[in-house]
Structures are given as structure tokens and as C-alpha cells.
Amino acid sequence: MRVARLWLTDFRNYTSVEAELAAGLTVVVGRNGEGKTSLLEGIGYLATLSSFRGVPNEALVRSGAPRAVVRAEGERESRSLIVEAEIPTSGRGRVLVNHQPLRRSRDLLGALRITVFSPDDLELVKGGPAGRRRYLDDVLVSLHPKHDALRVDVERVLRQRTTLLRQSGGRLTAEIATTLDVWDAQLVEHGEALVAARLELLQRLEPELTKAYAGLAGGGQVSARYEASWPMDGGLAAALAASRANDLRRGVTLVGPHRDEVALGIDGLPARTHASQGEQRSLALALRLAAHAVVREVTGEPPVLLLDDVFSELDAGRSHALVELLPSGQAVLTTAGPVPEGAEPERVLRVESGVLS
Ligand SMILES: Nc1ncnc2c1ncn2[C@@H]1O[C@H](COP(=O)(O)OP(=O)(O)O)[C@@H](O)[C@H]1O
Ligand SMILES: [Mg+2]
């Protein structure tokens, strides 16, 4: 879906705002703290029903207001579409498509897809494995909403298993063992399916990653290798059985998709520990560009690009290369400074204290 018009009500620092977005590039200009990121976050919410800043939904509601509303009008396969989400400060929100409430909010996923670039993306390369797992899983959900169900199932079983491990006080009674068997079987089923999807995705991503990285950095061989937290040829069931005594003692599940890693390398060296800051930044951008390319290829539709303040962090060379590499389609870019060189916005919005002009 392409977004033609966006409405935010009591969302972050916006009381009520309507924005018209270009079919191509829209640039949002404003000083820090005026509401640039919040605008992108509003668009993003309709794609994922969460904030790309990784904060709880309550933080999105303008302080003092009972609920926020985000609405977008756009086009999909040349049919007009209106999607709307209510975000209450507590309880469940409502989601409407063409004014009809959806039975399950999750059914909205797939209507609008986004690719977000943010300065925090550097953490994808420099930070711990959780960020890289989340990157893969987010792309999977973009590719197909069924992956959201899979991710939720894995998280649920892990929570149940953890509760049981803690309740056991480290002792394996017959009763505990029976219940553990049930959770383990479910974790194997959903966990192995998730890992299989991650592996397949990584295979699609790797060539795009190399291409994007070369475009940004001028060369270098990028690798992205999945490192499971268990010996994969033996299967997760065997690994869970082998780990059971340790899991009971520690009160956590020590093997599974929630402990896996994606090792990123440049020219054969680990990117997290060996790459320069500039190389790490290029690799972070390349991860987003690669995800965008794969989602576009698989779904046949380019996600809306949301570029949050990314050019301020880049040197002139990389900034120019990114502008050159940006795929066609709809893009919304925020900046506190000038419009990046070479970018040709069809529309410029100015934001001051949650008011657009
Ligand atoms: N829930 C909220 N209610 C009211 N104001 C908020 C809320 N969340 C954030 N803000 C304020 O919104 C302003 C805009 O934030 P942001 O969009 O991140 O700015 P920018 O990206 O332009 O630097 C900030 O001043 C922030 O304090
Ligand atoms: Mg910002």
C-alpha cells in the first residue's frame, strides 16, 4: 500500500494533524524535538501495530489523552484503502479497514509494509544478537503475516516453559517432566519452523547484502551466517533433552531460536568487533536495503521507505551513495538539516511543535 494521506490524533506530540504524502519522496524538515520521528512512527504503526522505537504502545498516546488514532488513506492494487488504528492507554486497540473493524488486529499486517532506516540501526551490527534476530523476524513478518503467529507461539511457549522451570525449584518430579515434555514438543514444532524460515530468508538476503554493501562502501565481501544455539543436525528436541538438567538448575531455556545468532562478517572478519565505524554504518544501511529488496521481490510491492534522520550521521560519500541506491517507490525522509544532496523531494513538510506546514 502507498500512503496518500495520513491523520494523527493525540499521537505523541500531535493533537490533530493531516499530512499529504507524495507518491515518491516526501521530506519532513524540523528542529529536534518537533515531531519528525513521531510522524514516521505513526505510519510505521499501521504497518506493524507497534513502534519502531521499541517502546510500549502507551508511550504513543499524547500525554493526558485517553487514546491515539492513526489513519491512512492510500491505494493498493489501484483500489483505495483506508486503514485506521486506535491505540488506547490501556486494554486492546481497535483496527479498522475501510471503516470495518477487524476481528483480529493481526489481520492488518500485510496491508502496509515499511522499511525503516534509523541511526539506531548501527546497533544491528555493533549490538548483541537480539537485535539481529529481531531484524530477521521483522522481515519475515513483512513477507508473510503467518510468521507473526509463529513468533508469538515461540514466545508464548518460552514464557510457559520459564514459568514451569522456576516453579520446579530445580527438582525434576514426574509431574514437571510430563509438562516439560508438552512445552518441549511445542517449542520444537514452532521453533524449528521459525529457524527454517530464518535460514531461508538469510539465503535470499545474502546476495542483496553484498550488492548493497558494495554500492555503499565500494567493495568488500559481506557474510551473514546463522549460528544456532544448538547442534542443528541433531534437532532441537535432542538439544532440549540434553539441556534439561541445566535449564532446571538455571531456570531458563538455554537452547532455542531465542538464543541464536546471526554472525555478520566483512572480508572474513567479524563486523561487530573488527569493522571500522564507517564500515559498520555501511553494513547497517546495507541490511535495511537488502531487506527492502527481498520484500519487494517476494511480495511484488516495494515497502514504503521511512528514513529517520539517517543522513546527519553519514559522511558526504556515503550520503551520496545512499541517495543513489535508494530504490524507487514511496519514501518519507526526515532531517533537522538541509535536504540531502541529490535527493529530489516531490513534497517538503515543515514540522514545528506537532504542527505541519
Ligand atoms: N506521548 C507523548 N505525549 C506528548 N508528547 C510526547 C509524547 N511522546 C513524545 N513526545 C514529545 O514529542 C516531541 C517530538 O518528538 P520526536 O518526534 O522524537 O521529535 P524529532 O524527531 O523531531 O526530534 C518531543 O518533544 C517529545 O518529548
Ligand atoms: Mg527524531
Side-chain angles (χ1 to χ4, degrees), residues 66-149:
R67 76 182 67 80
V69 179
V70 188
R71 174 151 44 110
E73 183 185 277
E75 234 180 60
R76 189 170 196 215
E77 287 156 2
S78 63
R79 288 231 291 273
S80 91
L81 190 67
I82 298 178
V83 292
E84 179 172 329
E86 274 177 22
I87 313 163
T89 42
S90 67
R92 279 167 170 276
R94 270 208 319 170
V95 174
L96 299 93
V97 172
N98 291 338
H99 310 293
Q100 297 298 313
L102 295 184
R103 208 167 48 81
R104 290 181 313 179
S105 297
R106 185 192 280 167
D107 292 339
L108 182 69
L109 300 178
L112 173 65
R113 297 188 185 85
I114 51 164
T115 303
V116 185
F117 290 73
S118 117
D120 298 341
D121 291 346
L122 192 55
E123 280 302 299
L124 283 178
V125 179
K126 291 182 74 163
R132 288 180 287 281
R133 288 193 299 264
R134 187 173 152 193
Y135 161 81
L136 284 186
D137 294 346
D138 284 348
V139 179
L140 284 173
V141 175
S142 262
L143 291 177
H144 201 294
K146 71 178 178 196
H147 294 120
D148 185 58

Coordinates of all heavy atoms in Angstrom, one line a residue, residues 66-149:
P66 N -6.9 10.0 26.3 CA -7.2 8.6 26.6 C -6.8 7.6 25.5 O -6.6 6.4 25.8 CB -8.8 8.6 26.7 CG -9.2 9.8 25.8 CD -8.0 10.8 25.9
R67 N -6.7 8.1 24.3 CA -6.3 7.2 23.2 C -5.7 8.0 22.0 O -6.0 9.2 21.9 CB -7.5 6.4 22.7 CG -8.4 7.1 21.8 CD -9.6 6.2 21.4 NE -10.4 5.9 22.5 CZ -11.3 6.7 23.1 NH1 -11.6 7.9 22.5 NH2 -12.0 6.4 24.1
A68 N -4.9 7.3 21.2 CA -4.4 7.9 20.0 C -5.1 7.3 18.8 O -5.6 6.1 18.9 CB -2.9 7.7 19.9
V69 N -5.2 8.0 17.7 CA -5.8 7.4 16.5 C -4.8 7.7 15.3 O -4.4 8.8 15.2 CB -7.2 7.9 16.1 CG1 -7.7 7.2 14.9 CG2 -8.1 7.6 17.3
V70 N -4.5 6.6 14.6 CA -3.7 6.8 13.4 C -4.5 6.3 12.2 O -5.1 5.2 12.2 CB -2.4 6.0 13.4 CG1 -1.5 6.4 12.2 CG2 -1.7 6.2 14.7
R71 N -4.6 7.1 11.1 CA -5.4 6.7 10.0 C -4.6 7.1 8.7 O -3.9 8.1 8.6 CB -6.7 7.5 10.0 CG -7.6 7.2 8.8 CD -9.1 7.3 9.0 NE -9.4 8.4 9.8 CZ -10.1 9.5 9.3 NH1 -10.4 9.6 8.1 NH2 -10.4 10.5 10.2
A72 N -4.7 6.2 7.8 CA -4.0 6.5 6.5 C -5.0 6.1 5.4 O -5.7 5.1 5.4 CB -2.8 5.7 6.3
E73 N -4.9 6.9 4.3 CA -5.7 6.6 3.1 C -4.7 6.4 2.0 O -3.7 7.2 1.9 CB -6.6 7.9 2.8 CG -7.5 7.7 1.6 CD -8.2 9.0 1.4 OE1 -9.2 9.3 2.0 OE2 -7.7 9.8 0.5
G74 N -4.9 5.4 1.3 CA -4.0 5.1 0.2 C -4.6 4.2 -0.8 O -5.8 4.1 -0.9
E75 N -3.7 3.7 -1.6 CA -4.1 2.9 -2.7 C -3.4 1.6 -2.7 O -2.2 1.5 -2.4 CB -3.7 3.6 -4.0 CG -4.8 3.8 -5.0 CD -4.3 4.6 -6.2 OE1 -3.5 4.0 -6.9 OE2 -4.8 5.7 -6.5
R76 N -4.1 0.5 -3.0 CA -3.5 -0.8 -3.1 C -4.1 -1.5 -4.3 O -5.3 -1.6 -4.4 CB -3.7 -1.6 -1.8 CG -2.9 -2.8 -1.8 CD -3.0 -3.4 -0.5 NE -1.9 -4.4 -0.4 CZ -2.0 -5.6 0.2 NH1 -3.1 -5.8 0.9 NH2 -1.0 -6.4 0.2
E77 N -3.2 -1.9 -5.2 CA -3.7 -2.5 -6.4 C -4.8 -1.7 -7.1 O -5.8 -2.2 -7.4 CB -4.1 -4.0 -6.2 CG -2.9 -4.9 -5.9 CD -3.3 -6.1 -5.1 OE1 -4.5 -6.3 -4.8 OE2 -2.4 -6.9 -4.8
S78 N -4.5 -0.4 -7.2 CA -5.3 0.6 -7.7 C -6.8 0.7 -7.1 O -7.7 1.2 -7.7 CB -5.4 0.6 -9.3 OG -5.9 -0.7 -9.7
R79 N -6.9 0.1 -5.9 CA -8.2 0.3 -5.2 C -7.9 1.2 -3.9 O -6.8 1.0 -3.3 CB -8.7 -1.0 -4.7 CG -9.3 -1.8 -5.9 CD -10.7 -2.3 -5.6 NE -10.7 -3.3 -4.6 CZ -10.6 -4.6 -4.8 NH1 -10.4 -5.0 -6.0 NH2 -10.7 -5.5 -3.8
S80 N -8.8 2.1 -3.6 CA -8.5 2.9 -2.4 C -8.8 2.2 -1.1 O -9.6 1.3 -1.1 CB -9.3 4.2 -2.5 OG -10.5 4.1 -1.8
L81 N -8.0 2.5 -0.1 CA -8.0 1.7 1.1 C -7.8 2.7 2.3 O -7.0 3.6 2.2 CB -6.8 0.8 1.1 CG -6.7 -0.3 2.1 CD1 -7.8 -1.3 2.0 CD2 -5.3 -1.1 2.0
I82 N -8.6 2.6 3.3 CA -8.4 3.4 4.5 C -8.2 2.5 5.7 O -9.0 1.6 6.0 CB -9.7 4.3 4.8 CG1 -9.9 5.2 3.6 CG2 -9.5 5.0 6.1 CD1 -11.2 6.1 3.8
V83 N -7.0 2.6 6.3 CA -6.7 1.8 7.5 C -6.6 2.8 8.7 O -6.1 3.9 8.6 CB -5.4 1.0 7.3 CG1 -5.6 -0.1 6.3 CG2 -4.2 1.9 7.0
E84 N -7.1 2.3 9.8 CA -7.2 3.1 11.0 C -6.9 2.2 12.2 O -7.4 1.1 12.3 CB -8.6 3.7 11.1 CG -8.8 4.6 12.3 CD -10.1 5.3 12.3 OE1 -10.6 5.7 11.1 OE2 -10.7 5.6 13.3
A85 N -6.1 2.8 13.1 CA -5.8 2.1 14.4 C -6.0 3.0 15.5 O -5.6 4.1 15.5 CB -4.4 1.5 14.4
E86 N -6.8 2.5 16.5 CA -6.9 3.2 17.8 C -6.0 2.6 18.8 O -5.8 1.4 18.9 CB -8.3 2.9 18.4 CG -9.4 3.8 17.8 CD -10.8 3.4 18.4 OE1 -10.8 2.7 19.5 OE2 -11.8 3.7 17.8
I87 N -5.3 3.5 19.5 CA -4.3 3.0 20.5 C -4.7 3.5 21.8 O -4.6 4.7 22.1 CB -2.9 3.5 20.2 CG1 -2.6 3.3 18.7 CG2 -1.9 2.9 21.1 CD1 -1.4 4.1 18.2
P88 N -5.4 2.7 22.7 CA -5.8 3.2 24.0 C -4.6 3.1 25.0 O -3.6 2.4 24.7 CB -6.9 2.2 24.4 CG -6.5 0.9 23.6 CD -5.7 1.3 22.4
T89 N -4.7 3.9 26.1 CA -3.7 3.8 27.1 C -3.7 2.5 27.8 O -2.7 2.1 28.4 CB -3.8 5.0 28.1 OG1 -5.1 5.1 28.4 CG2 -3.3 6.3 27.5
S90 N -4.8 1.8 27.8 CA -4.8 0.5 28.4 C -5.9 -0.3 27.7 O -6.8 0.2 27.1 CB -5.2 0.6 29.9 OG -6.5 1.0 30.1
G91 N -5.7 -1.6 27.7 CA -6.6 -2.5 27.0 C -6.3 -2.6 25.5 O -5.2 -2.1 25.1
R92 N -7.1 -3.3 24.8 CA -6.9 -3.6 23.4 C -7.3 -2.4 22.5 O -8.3 -1.8 22.8 CB -7.8 -4.8 23.0 CG -7.1 -6.1 23.4 CD -8.2 -7.2 23.2 NE -7.5 -8.5 23.3 CZ -6.9 -9.1 22.3 NH1 -6.9 -8.6 21.1 NH2 -6.3 -10.3 22.5
G93 N -6.6 -2.3 21.5 CA -6.9 -1.2 20.5 C -7.8 -1.8 19.4 O -8.0 -3.0 19.3
R94 N -8.4 -0.9 18.6 CA -9.2 -1.4 17.5 C -8.5 -1.1 16.2 O -7.8 -0.1 16.1 CB -10.6 -0.6 17.5 CG -11.6 -1.3 18.3 CD -13.0 -1.0 17.8 NE -13.2 0.4 17.4 CZ -14.3 0.8 16.8 NH1 -15.3 0.0 16.5 NH2 -14.4 2.1 16.4
V95 N -8.8 -1.9 15.2 CA -8.2 -1.7 13.9 C -9.3 -1.8 12.9 O -10.2 -2.7 12.9 CB -7.1 -2.7 13.6 CG1 -6.6 -2.5 12.1 CG2 -5.9 -2.6 14.5
L96 N -9.4 -0.8 12.0 CA -10.5 -0.8 11.0 C -9.9 -0.7 9.6 O -8.9 0.0 9.4 CB -11.4 0.4 11.2 CG -12.1 0.5 12.6 CD1 -11.4 1.3 13.6 CD2 -13.5 1.1 12.4
V97 N -10.5 -1.4 8.7 CA -10.1 -1.3 7.3 C -11.4 -0.9 6.5 O -12.4 -1.6 6.6 CB -9.5 -2.6 6.7 CG1 -9.3 -2.5 5.2 CG2 -8.2 -2.9 7.4
N98 N -11.3 0.2 5.8 CA -12.4 0.8 5.1 C -13.6 0.9 6.1 O -14.7 0.4 5.7 CB -12.8 0.0 3.8 CG -11.7 0.2 2.8 OD1 -11.0 1.1 2.8 ND2 -11.6 -0.8 1.9
H99 N -13.3 1.4 7.3 CA -14.3 1.6 8.3 C -14.9 0.4 9.0 O -15.7 0.5 9.9 CB -15.5 2.5 7.8 CG -15.0 3.7 7.1 ND1 -14.3 4.7 7.7 CD2 -15.0 4.1 5.8 CE1 -14.0 5.7 6.9 NE2 -14.4 5.3 5.7
Q100 N -14.5 -0.8 8.5 CA -15.0 -2.0 9.1 C -14.0 -2.5 10.2 O -12.8 -2.7 9.8 CB -15.1 -3.1 8.1 CG -16.2 -2.8 7.0 CD -17.6 -2.7 7.6 OE1 -18.0 -3.5 8.4 NE2 -18.2 -1.6 7.2
P101 N -14.4 -2.7 11.4 CA -13.4 -3.2 12.4 C -13.0 -4.6 12.1 O -13.8 -5.5 11.6 CB -14.3 -3.2 13.7 CG -15.6 -2.6 13.4 CD -15.7 -2.5 12.0
L102 N -11.7 -4.9 12.3 CA -11.2 -6.3 12.0 C -11.4 -7.1 13.3 O -11.3 -6.6 14.4 CB -9.7 -6.2 11.7 CG -9.2 -5.5 10.5 CD1 -7.7 -5.7 10.3 CD2 -10.0 -6.1 9.3
R103 N -11.7 -8.3 13.1 CA -11.9 -9.2 14.2 C -10.6 -9.4 15.0 O -10.5 -9.4 16.2 CB -12.4 -10.6 13.7 CG -13.3 -11.3 14.7 CD -14.0 -12.5 14.1 NE -13.1 -13.3 13.3 CZ -12.3 -14.3 13.7 NH1 -12.3 -14.5 15.0 NH2 -11.6 -14.9 12.9
R104 N -9.5 -9.7 14.2 CA -8.2 -9.7 14.8 C -7.3 -8.6 14.3 O -7.2 -8.5 13.0 CB -7.5 -11.1 14.5 CG -8.2 -12.3 15.1 CD -7.4 -13.5 14.7 NE -7.2 -13.5 13.3 CZ -6.5 -14.5 12.7 NH1 -6.0 -15.5 13.3 NH2 -6.4 -14.5 11.4
S105 N -6.7 -7.9 15.2 CA -5.8 -6.8 14.7 C -4.8 -7.3 13.8 O -4.4 -6.6 12.8 CB -5.2 -6.1 15.9 OG -6.2 -5.5 16.7
R106 N -4.3 -8.5 14.1 CA -3.2 -9.0 13.3 C -3.5 -9.1 11.8 O -2.6 -9.1 11.0 CB -2.9 -10.4 13.8 CG -1.7 -11.1 13.2 CD -1.7 -12.6 13.6 NE -1.1 -12.8 14.9 CZ -1.2 -13.9 15.6 NH1 -1.8 -14.9 15.1 NH2 -0.6 -14.0 16.8
D107 N -4.8 -9.2 11.5 CA -5.2 -9.3 10.1 C -4.8 -8.0 9.3 O -4.9 -8.0 8.0 CB -6.7 -9.6 9.9 CG -7.0 -11.0 10.4 OD1 -6.1 -11.8 10.5 OD2 -8.2 -11.2 10.8
L108 N -4.4 -7.0 10.0 CA -4.0 -5.8 9.3 C -2.6 -6.0 8.7 O -2.3 -5.4 7.6 CB -3.9 -4.6 10.3 CG -3.5 -3.2 9.6 CD1 -4.6 -2.7 8.7 CD2 -3.2 -2.2 10.6
L109 N -1.8 -6.8 9.3 CA -0.4 -7.0 8.8 C -0.4 -7.4 7.4 O -1.2 -8.3 7.0 CB 0.3 -8.0 9.7 CG 0.4 -7.7 11.2 CD1 1.1 -8.9 11.9 CD2 1.2 -6.4 11.4
G110 N 0.4 -6.7 6.6 CA 0.5 -7.0 5.2 C -0.2 -6.0 4.3 O 0.0 -5.9 3.1
A111 N -1.1 -5.2 4.9 CA -1.8 -4.2 4.2 C -0.8 -3.1 3.8 O -0.7 -2.7 2.6 CB -2.9 -3.5 5.0
L112 N 0.0 -2.7 4.8 CA 1.1 -1.7 4.6 C 2.4 -2.3 5.0 O 2.5 -2.8 6.1 CB 0.7 -0.4 5.4 CG 1.8 0.7 5.4 CD1 2.0 1.3 4.1 CD2 1.4 1.8 6.4
R113 N 3.4 -2.2 4.2 CA 4.7 -2.6 4.6 C 5.7 -1.5 4.6 O 5.6 -0.5 3.8 CB 5.2 -3.7 3.6 CG 4.4 -4.9 3.6 CD 5.1 -6.0 2.7 NE 4.2 -7.2 2.7 CZ 3.2 -7.3 1.7 NH1 3.1 -6.3 0.8 NH2 2.4 -8.3 1.7
I114 N 6.6 -1.5 5.5 CA 7.6 -0.4 5.6 C 9.0 -1.0 5.7 O 9.2 -2.1 6.2 CB 7.3 0.4 6.9 CG1 7.2 -0.5 8.1 CG2 6.1 1.3 6.7 CD1 7.3 0.3 9.4
T115 N 10.0 -0.1 5.3 CA 11.4 -0.4 5.6 C 11.9 0.9 6.4 O 11.8 2.0 5.8 CB 12.2 -0.5 4.3 OG1 11.7 -1.6 3.6 CG2 13.7 -0.9 4.7
V116 N 12.3 0.7 7.6 CA 12.7 1.8 8.4 C 14.2 1.9 8.5 O 14.9 0.9 8.8 CB 12.1 1.7 9.9 CG1 12.5 3.0 10.6 CG2 10.6 1.5 9.9
F117 N 14.8 3.1 8.2 CA 16.2 3.3 8.4 C 16.3 4.3 9.6 O 15.6 5.4 9.6 CB 16.8 4.0 7.2 CG 17.0 3.1 6.0 CD1 15.9 2.8 5.3 CD2 18.2 2.7 5.6 CE1 16.0 2.0 4.1 CE2 18.4 1.9 4.5 CZ 17.2 1.6 3.7
S118 N 17.1 4.0 10.6 CA 17.2 4.9 11.7 C 18.7 4.9 12.2 O 19.4 3.9 12.0 CB 16.3 4.5 12.8 OG 17.0 4.2 14.0
P119 N 19.1 6.0 12.8 CA 20.5 6.0 13.3 C 20.8 4.8 14.3 O 21.9 4.4 14.4 CB 20.7 7.3 14.0 CG 19.6 8.2 13.4 CD 18.5 7.3 13.1
D120 N 19.7 4.3 14.9 CA 19.9 3.2 15.9 C 20.3 1.9 15.2 O 20.7 0.9 15.8 CB 18.6 3.0 16.7 CG 18.2 4.1 17.5 OD1 19.1 5.0 17.8 OD2 17.0 4.2 17.9
D121 N 20.1 1.9 13.8 CA 20.4 0.7 13.1 C 21.9 0.2 13.3 O 22.2 -1.0 13.1 CB 20.2 0.8 11.6 CG 18.7 1.0 11.3 OD1 17.9 0.7 12.2 OD2 18.4 1.4 10.2
L122 N 22.7 1.1 13.7 CA 24.1 0.8 13.9 C 24.2 -0.4 14.9 O 25.1 -1.2 14.9 CB 24.9 2.0 14.4 CG 26.4 1.9 14.5 CD1 27.0 1.5 13.1 CD2 27.0 3.2 15.0
E123 N 23.3 -0.4 15.9 CA 23.2 -1.4 16.9 C 23.0 -2.8 16.3 O 23.3 -3.8 16.9 CB 22.1 -1.2 17.9 CG 22.5 -0.1 18.9 CD 23.7 -0.6 19.7 OE1 23.6 -1.6 20.4 OE2 24.7 0.1 19.7
L124 N 22.4 -2.9 15.1 CA 22.2 -4.2 14.4 C 23.6 -4.8 14.2 O 23.7 -6.0 14.2 CB 21.6 -4.0 13.0 CG 20.1 -3.7 12.9 CD1 19.7 -3.5 11.5 CD2 19.4 -4.9 13.5
V125 N 24.6 -4.0 14.0 CA 25.9 -4.5 13.7 C 26.7 -4.6 15.0 O 27.4 -5.6 15.3 CB 26.6 -3.6 12.6 CG1 28.1 -4.2 12.4 CG2 25.8 -3.6 11.4
K126 N 26.6 -3.5 15.8 CA 27.5 -3.4 17.0 C 26.9 -4.1 18.2 O 27.6 -4.4 19.1 CB 27.7 -1.9 17.4 CG 28.5 -1.2 16.4 CD 28.7 0.3 16.8 CE 29.7 0.4 18.0 NZ 30.2 1.8 18.1
G127 N 25.6 -4.2 18.2 CA 25.0 -4.7 19.5 C 24.9 -6.2 19.5 O 25.5 -7.0 18.7
G128 N 24.1 -6.7 20.5 CA 24.0 -8.1 20.8 C 23.1 -8.8 19.8 O 22.5 -8.2 18.9
P129 N 23.0 -10.2 19.9 CA 22.3 -11.0 18.9 C 20.7 -10.7 18.8 O 20.1 -10.9 17.8 CB 22.5 -12.4 19.3 CG 23.2 -12.4 20.6 CD 23.7 -11.0 20.8
A130 N 20.2 -10.2 19.9 CA 18.7 -10.0 20.0 C 18.3 -9.0 18.8 O 17.3 -9.3 18.2 CB 18.3 -9.4 21.3
G131 N 19.0 -8.0 18.6 CA 18.7 -7.1 17.5 C 18.7 -7.7 16.1 O 17.8 -7.4 15.3
R132 N 19.7 -8.6 15.9 CA 19.7 -9.3 14.6 C 18.6 -10.3 14.4 O 18.1 -10.5 13.4 CB 21.1 -9.9 14.4 CG 22.2 -8.8 14.2 CD 23.6 -9.4 14.1 NE 24.2 -10.0 15.3 CZ 24.7 -9.2 16.2 NH1 24.8 -7.9 16.1 NH2 25.2 -9.8 17.3
R133 N 18.3 -11.0 15.5 CA 17.1 -11.9 15.5 C 15.9 -11.1 15.1 O 15.1 -11.5 14.3 CB 17.0 -12.7 16.8 CG 18.0 -13.7 17.1 CD 17.6 -14.6 18.2 NE 17.4 -13.9 19.5 CZ 18.3 -13.7 20.4 NH1 19.5 -14.3 20.3 NH2 18.0 -13.0 21.5
R134 N 15.7 -10.0 15.8 CA 14.5 -9.2 15.6 C 14.5 -8.7 14.1 O 13.4 -8.6 13.5 CB 14.5 -8.0 16.6 CG 13.2 -7.3 16.5 CD 13.0 -6.3 17.5 NE 12.1 -5.3 16.9 CZ 11.8 -4.1 17.3 NH1 12.4 -3.7 18.5 NH2 11.0 -3.3 16.7
Y135 N 15.6 -8.3 13.6 CA 15.7 -7.9 12.2 C 15.2 -9.0 11.3 O 14.3 -8.7 10.5 CB 17.1 -7.5 11.9 CG 17.5 -7.5 10.4 CD1 17.2 -6.3 9.7 CD2 18.1 -8.5 9.8 CE1 17.5 -6.3 8.3 CE2 18.4 -8.5 8.5 CZ 18.1 -7.4 7.7 OH 18.4 -7.4 6.4
L136 N 15.7 -10.2 11.5 CA 15.2 -11.3 10.6 C 13.7 -11.5 10.8 O 13.0 -11.7 9.8 CB 15.9 -12.6 11.0 CG 17.4 -12.8 10.5 CD1 17.8 -14.2 10.9 CD2 17.5 -12.6 9.0
D137 N 13.3 -11.6 12.0 CA 11.9 -11.9 12.3 C 10.9 -10.8 11.8 O 9.8 -11.1 11.2 CB 11.6 -12.2 13.8 CG 12.4 -13.4 14.2 OD1 12.8 -14.2 13.4 OD2 12.5 -13.6 15.5
D138 N 11.4 -9.5 11.9 CA 10.6 -8.4 11.3 C 10.4 -8.6 9.8 O 9.4 -8.3 9.2 CB 11.2 -7.1 11.7 CG 10.9 -6.7 13.1 OD1 10.1 -7.3 13.8 OD2 11.6 -5.7 13.6
V139 N 11.5 -8.9 9.1 CA 11.4 -9.1 7.7 C 10.5 -10.3 7.4 O 9.7 -10.2 6.4 CB 12.8 -9.3 7.1 CG1 12.7 -9.5 5.6 CG2 13.8 -8.2 7.4
L140 N 10.6 -11.3 8.1 CA 9.7 -12.5 7.9 C 8.2 -12.1 8.0 O 7.4 -12.5 7.2 CB 10.0 -13.6 8.9 CG 11.3 -14.4 8.6 CD1 11.6 -15.4 9.8 CD2 11.2 -15.2 7.3
V141 N 7.9 -11.3 9.0 CA 6.5 -10.8 9.2 C 6.1 -10.0 8.0 O 5.0 -10.1 7.5 CB 6.3 -10.1 10.5 CG1 4.9 -9.5 10.6 CG2 6.6 -11.0 11.7
S142 N 7.0 -9.1 7.5 CA 6.8 -8.3 6.3 C 6.5 -9.2 5.1 O 5.6 -8.9 4.3 CB 8.0 -7.5 5.9 OG 7.8 -6.2 6.4
L143 N 7.2 -10.3 5.0 CA 7.0 -11.3 3.9 C 5.6 -12.0 4.0 O 5.0 -12.2 3.0 CB 8.1 -12.3 3.9 CG 9.5 -11.7 3.5 CD1 10.5 -12.8 3.5 CD2 9.4 -11.1 2.1
H144 N 5.3 -12.3 5.2 CA 4.0 -13.0 5.4 C 3.6 -13.0 6.9 O 4.3 -13.3 7.8 CB 4.1 -14.5 5.0 CG 2.8 -15.1 4.7 ND1 1.8 -15.3 5.7 CD2 2.2 -15.5 3.5 CE1 0.7 -15.8 5.1 NE2 1.0 -15.9 3.8
P145 N 2.3 -12.5 7.1 CA 1.8 -12.4 8.5 C 1.8 -13.7 9.3 O 1.8 -13.7 10.5 CB 0.4 -11.9 8.3 CG 0.2 -11.5 6.9 CD 1.3 -12.1 6.1
K146 N 1.9 -14.9 8.6 CA 1.9 -16.1 9.3 C 3.1 -16.2 10.2 O 3.1 -16.9 11.2 CB 1.9 -17.3 8.3 CG 3.2 -17.5 7.6 CD 3.2 -18.7 6.7 CE 4.5 -18.8 5.9 NZ 4.5 -19.6 4.8
H147 N 4.2 -15.5 9.8 CA 5.4 -15.5 10.6 C 5.2 -14.8 12.0 O 5.9 -15.0 12.9 CB 6.6 -14.9 9.9 CG 7.0 -15.7 8.7 ND1 7.0 -15.2 7.4 CD2 7.4 -17.0 8.6 CE1 7.3 -16.2 6.6 NE2 7.6 -17.3 7.3
D148 N 4.2 -13.9 12.0 CA 3.9 -13.2 13.3 C 3.3 -14.2 14.2 O 3.7 -14.2 15.4 CB 2.9 -12.0 13.0 CG 2.7 -11.2 14.3 OD1 3.7 -10.7 14.9 OD2 1.6 -11.2 14.8
A149 N 2.4 -15.0 13.7 CA 1.8 -16.1 14.6 C 2.9 -17.0 15.1 O 2.9 -17.4 16.3 CB 0.8 -16.8 13.8

